[in-house]
Amino acid sequence: MSRDPTSFLGDEYSALVQSDLDWKIRTLQGPSTPWCHIDGKKVLMLCSNNYLGLTNHPALKKAAVDAVTTHGAGSGSVRAIAGNMDLHIQLEERLAHFKRAEASLVYQTGYAVNSGLIPQLVGEQDLVVSDELNHGSIIDGVRLSRAERAVYKHADTADLARVLDEAEKHSPQYRRILVITDGVFSMDGDIAPLDEIAKVSGEHGALVYVDDAHGEGVLGEGGRGIVSHFHLDRRQVQIEMGTFSKAFGVVGGHVSGSRDLTNFAYNKSRTWLLSGSHPPAVAAACIAAIDVLENEPERVQTLWRHTRHFKKSMSDLGFDIGKSESPITPIMVGEAEVAKKLSARLFEEGVFALPIVFPMVAKGKARIRTIMNAALTPEDLDFAIGAFGKIGKELAIVAQH
Ligand code: PMP
């Protein structure tokens, strides 16, 4: 009798479970609010990407409900065929204005931007130069591109310059060179030196692509992102991508730059052309999120005030908080078992903060990754800090006194 061809599914899953590498996913029962219900327990959310607390903002919810009433539940098609709604166009116009770009293009997700656009920007005759800690969606886009690839040391512009110098000597000459970096690195919370990256890249005639998923709503004037943070312009950073799934509180990817860029992108990205467009509620909620960012810039200030308070308190307690420069604060504990234990005990005490362990980060670099949220109150922060202090001492991660 022939072997069951599906047996690898169970075998591989069991292997993951045995090595404790399987995802143990918790369930949110209700909205993603600072205090929320997860697996039947009321806990303080400290690990969502909901930086500005917009996931449950009344204006976003109302916009979504209204759009269902006026435009229905779905768009009916991919945008290129019959699913291009006035709401999608309005969203792109609003985003371009917010980003101070000539044009913006919205994709279904940020993953769809990176995996769909990068392979069109570069191909076999080109070189793509990537920071060693770039997000997985960039890595997938680069893989699909078939371009030659080079990796530079994390956030190290001298190493980037070395790679670009070497590339100049390449024969035959590359048709195009694309330098790609995350804006804020999602595991460590540090900020790419985009000003220097743009300078070095410009000197070598290379294009710059920044993934600002964690910089939007956080950095720059009114949360306009990393390009604004470094006072750069579109000649220096030609391709700025981002997502509506983090600070904007909804879902969807986007790219901003010149009109030539967006015309090129929608005509060529297979992820954009071959996949259904956002339901009206999503597009309308994203527009409302831009309204909130434009009209309530104090949310960004609150986010930073909370971030400074949390980082200082955690550091005063004796925790190693890494080298973050953003509302992402990793609590470095080293071994995976310690991170998992800390996370489990925090949950029991009423704080939800996920452990990040190998293979997401290098072995010995396990951590709890916390992400600040402007919707937390000072009392919420004290509660979270108190829980960390208590369990940090209990697990001997920090000193007793
Ligand atoms: N880039 C970075 C740096 C991210 O953290 C993420 C989300 N994890 C993405 C891209 C993908 O964004 P989306 O959730 O919109 O697919």
Side-chain angles (χ1 to χ4, degrees), residues 324-337:
S324 169
E325 307 161 88
S326 73
I328 296 172
T329 303
I331 313 300
M332 310 297 291
V333 297
E335 294 312 314
E337 281 59 41

Side-chain angles (χ1 to χ4, degrees), residues 59-137:
L60 273 73
K61 292 201 288 187
K62 180 170 185 319
V65 171
D66 289 352
V68 171
T69 310
T70 58
H71 285 68
S75 74
S77 171
V78 300
R79 286 209 30 211
I81 297 179
N84 188 37
M85 291 181 146
D86 50 0
L87 287 170
H88 299 131
I89 305 293
Q90 277 169 35
L91 173 57
E92 286 167 349
E93 284 169 358
R94 290 295 308 277
L95 183 66
H97 181 260
F98 179 72
K99 289 272 180 185
R100 303 207 173 98
E102 196 181 359
S104 295
L105 181 70
V106 172
Y107 288 61
Q108 298 83 352
T109 63
Y111 183 85
V113 181
N114 285 338
S115 58
L117 180 56
I118 296 169
Q120 303 304 326
L121 292 168
V122 282
E124 273 168 10
Q125 300 152 271
D126 306 317
L127 175 70
V128 56
V129 188
S130 186
D131 185 292
E132 66 182 337
L133 294 188
N134 274 346
H135 190 255
S137 56

Side-chain angles (χ1 to χ4, degrees), residues 40-359:
K41 191 170 164 62
K42 187 177 172 199
V43 289
L44 189 67
M45 171 68 87
L46 222 57
C47 57
S48 82
N49 296 307
N50 186 20
Y51 291 102
L52 299 175
L54 298 194
T55 52
N56 203 46
H57 191 290
L60 273 73
K61 292 201 288 187
K62 180 170 185 319
V65 171
D66 289 352
V68 171
T69 310
T70 58
H71 285 68
S75 74
S77 171
V78 300
R79 286 209 30 211
I81 297 179
N84 188 37
M85 291 181 146
D86 50 0
L87 287 170
H88 299 131
I89 305 293
Q90 277 169 35
L91 173 57
E92 286 167 349
E93 284 169 358
R94 290 295 308 277
L95 183 66
H97 181 260
F98 179 72
K99 289 272 180 185
R100 303 207 173 98
E102 196 181 359
S104 295
L105 181 70
V106 172
Y107 288 61
Q108 298 83 352
T109 63
Y111 183 85
V113 181
N114 285 338
S115 58
L117 180 56
I118 296 169
Q120 303 304 326
L121 292 168
V122 282
E124 273 168 10
Q125 300 152 271
D126 306 317
L127 175 70
V128 56
V129 188
S130 186
D131 185 292
E132 66 182 337
L133 294 188
N134 274 346
H135 190 255
S137 56
I138 296 178
I139 294 170
D140 287 1
V142 170
R143 281 186 187 144
L144 282 168
S145 76
R146 300 198 201 155
E148 230 175 273
R149 55 201 86 157
V151 170
Y152 63 94
K153 286 193 200 129
H154 175 51
D156 184 338
T157 35
D159 199 44
L160 170 62
R162 177 192 62 75
V163 171
L164 291 173
D165 283 342
E166 270 170 32
E168 253 166 30
K169 296 179 203 134
H170 189 266
S171 174
Q173 284 258 301
Y174 294 110
R175 184 182 59 159
R176 208 175 289 146
I177 299 176
L178 181 67
V179 174
I180 307 192
T181 182
D182 276 18
V184 175
F185 288 86
S186 57
M187 294 298 159
D188 293 289
D190 55 332
I191 300 174
L194 193 61
D195 50 349
E196 291 171 32
I197 291 171
K199 184 167 177 287
V200 174
S201 304
E203 284 162 5
H204 290 80
L207 289 164
V208 179
Y209 183 124
V210 65
D211 175 337
D212 204 23
H214 292 275
E216 293 168 334
V218 174
L219 298 178
E221 188 205 335
R224 279 173 176 73
I226 192 166
V227 173
S228 159
H229 172 80
F230 282 112
H231 306 289
L232 297 168
D233 66 33
R234 304 279 156 204
R235 282 164 304 175
Q236 295 159 298
V237 178
Q238 297 85 359
I239 305 136
E240 180 183 353
M241 77 71 67
T243 174
F244 288 112
S245 73
K246 304 198 191 294
F248 288 97
V250 194
V251 74
H254 50 83
V255 64
S256 297
S258 67
R259 176 73 61 190
D260 283 346
L261 170 69
T262 58
N263 284 341
F264 172 95
Y266 84 77
N267 277 283
K268 295 214 172 218
S269 301
R270 291 168 67 77
T271 50
W272 196 91
L273 290 166
L274 303 179
S275 185
S277 58
H278 279 158
V282 169
C286 290
I287 294 172
I290 297 174
D291 283 340
V292 173
L293 270 149
E294 285 180 344
N295 298 326
E296 301 175 25
E298 61 278 7
R299 281 181 180 265
V300 182
Q301 289 153 19
T302 308
L303 174 70
W304 279 101
R305 207 171 47 247
H306 285 357
T307 299
R308 282 190 293 271
H309 175 63
F310 183 72
K311 283 189 197 296
K312 177 163 189 320
S313 307
M314 293 297 285
S315 170
D316 287 350
L317 279 171
F319 284 103
D320 173 358
I321 58 167
K323 297 193 187 81
S324 169
E325 307 161 88
S326 73
I328 296 172
T329 303
I331 313 300
M332 310 297 291
V333 297
E335 294 312 314
E337 281 59 41
V338 182
K340 287 177 185 173
K341 182 79 194 153
L342 176 57
S343 171
R345 283 289 295 116
L346 283 167
F347 194 78
E348 283 167 10
E349 295 288 327
V351 175
F352 182 39
L354 217 63
I356 306 273
V357 299
F358 179 80

